[in-house]
Amino acid sequence: EPGKSATTMSYLWLACSIQDAKKPVVYFKYDPNRSGAVAQKLYNSYTGSLQCDGYQAYGTLPGTIQRSGCWAHVRRKFIETGPTPNKVVGKANVALDMINKLFKIEQDLKTKSFQERLKIRQSESKPIVDEFFDWLNKTPVIEKSGLGKAVGYALGQQAYLMHFLDDPKIELSNNTAERHIKIAVMGRKNWLFSTSQAGAHANTLFLSLIETAKMNGLNPSKYIEYLLNKIPQLPMINNQEQLKAYLPWTEQVQTNCI
């Protein structure tokens, strides 16, 4: 950014459809900072459910957006209390056992309908969730200890973490988004000396195309090549009605880009 060194931190934001979306989209956005103002712009005019971690910027979003928490982030907090991921000890293991039971139930729900998923979550997952938060409230911890921070994080997210019990479209975690962001994490060492804002914006465009192509079962290279060959031939390149024919779920794209 103007007036800043090339080593100054900048950020990629990511928004994506749920795993079960019929027309899934992955969208990357570049911004110099990670304030609530960016979240507000990113989700401007959006209404519905938004699954995210406990980052405070999402707390600035309007009431038209119902936030859902991420149990994977909660689990990670308890794992981090141990000297290594495989050596979690004491009370943290009690919490992890309950959280892992929730993930085991979800593993079996992947092929279920939304109606079946909701029924099983209410009958099997809800008692575990209730037990988990009851245990958190009754467990004495040192606030600034690793366990204390994990307990505090989970209790602070309680309302959001329980949302999946009433909405079968919501997953137990936002791992779908985590998987998509890995493409940027893997690539950033190669981009270490790329210092252009224009380059950052170009990156987000192509990362969005690549990950959206994957979500729709396309070969990303074929899809990008198809767009580069076809779109410049359009009489009006900014005509949105014409461009809709090149969205990744259309029949012609599915035929040519798998």
Side-chain angles (χ1 to χ4, degrees):
E1 288 77 36
K4 295 184 179 181
S5 68
T7 56
T8 302
M9 289 288 288
S10 294
Y11 302 92
L12 287 185
W13 292 69
L14 180 142
C16 66
S17 309
I18 61 172
Q19 190 68 38
D20 296 316
K22 293 181 180 179
K23 297 178 179 180
V25 173
V26 181
Y27 175 69
F28 285 82
K29 174 180 171 57
Y30 161 79
D31 202 274
N33 64 72
R34 58 198 298 254
S35 70
V38 184
Q40 291 168 22
K41 185 175 181 180
L42 185 60
Y43 297 103
N44 180 38
S45 76
Y46 173 70
T47 59
S49 297
L50 175 67
Q51 187 161 32
C52 54
D53 59 19
Y55 180 49
Q56 60 187 9
Y58 296 114
T60 67
L61 296 175
T64 53
I65 296 177
Q66 185 174 18
R67 285 175 58 193
S68 299
C70 172
W71 282 89
H73 279 81
V74 176
R75 181 167 61 180
R76 194 177 305 161
K77 296 289 184 182
F78 285 99
I79 289 174
E80 290 171 353
T81 64
T84 67
N86 296 320
K87 291 187 178 180
V88 180
V89 296
K91 295 176 182 177
N93 267 325
V94 178
L96 286 173
D97 284 344
M98 288 186 275
I99 295 171
N100 288 336
K101 287 179 183 177
L102 293 176
F103 276 96
K104 176 60 173 66
I105 293 171
E106 288 300 307
Q107 189 69 28
D108 298 333
L109 296 183
K110 287 186 175 180
T111 58
K112 304 290 185 183
S113 68
F114 286 146
Q115 186 176 5
E116 291 174 307
R117 190 181 298 178
L118 183 61
K119 184 178 179 180
I120 293 172
R121 282 179 175 178
Q122 286 292 321
S123 63
E124 298 184 23
S125 300
K126 189 177 186 302
I128 298 173
V129 172
D130 291 341
E131 180 186 1
F132 175 76
F133 285 110
D134 183 59
W135 179 84
L136 291 182
N137 281 302
K138 292 179 179 178
T139 300
V141 294
I142 299 172
E143 186 176 345
K144 293 186 178 180
S145 67
L147 181 61
K149 291 177 181 177
V151 169
Y153 178 85
L155 287 174
Q157 294 289 302
Q158 182 173 354
Y160 310 129
L161 291 167
M162 296 186 73
H163 187 199
F164 84 101
L165 295 171
D166 300 310
D167 187 344
K169 293 182 181 180
I170 296 296
E171 298 180 41
L172 195 61
S173 74
N174 69 344
N175 281 344
T176 298
E178 297 274 339
R179 286 193 295 270
H180 291 306
I181 203 69
K182 281 185 178 179
I183 189 173
V185 176
M186 297 291 288
R188 63 183 172 187
K189 286 188 177 180
N190 294 324
W191 311 325
L192 190 61
F193 300 103
S194 300
T195 60
S196 160
Q197 278 185 303
H201 286 293
N203 245 4
T204 60
L205 188 154
F206 279 97
L207 291 177
S208 298
L209 286 173
I210 291 168
E211 291 301 294
T212 299
K214 290 178 183 177
M215 282 280 278
N216 286 275
L218 303 179
N219 179 313
S221 295
K222 285 185 178 180
Y223 183 47
I224 292 174
E225 182 179 3
Y226 184 79
L227 295 178
L228 292 175
N229 284 330
K230 297 291 185 180
I231 290 180
Q233 298 179 37
L234 295 176
M236 294 180 63
I237 202 166
N238 62 344
N239 185 309
Q240 291 196 19
E241 288 304 313
Q242 288 184 342
L243 291 174
K244 284 181 181 178
Y246 298 91
L247 291 171
W249 44 79
T250 61
E251 184 178 351
Q252 68 176 25
V253 170
Q254 287 285 321
T255 300
N256 288 281
C257 302
I258 292 178

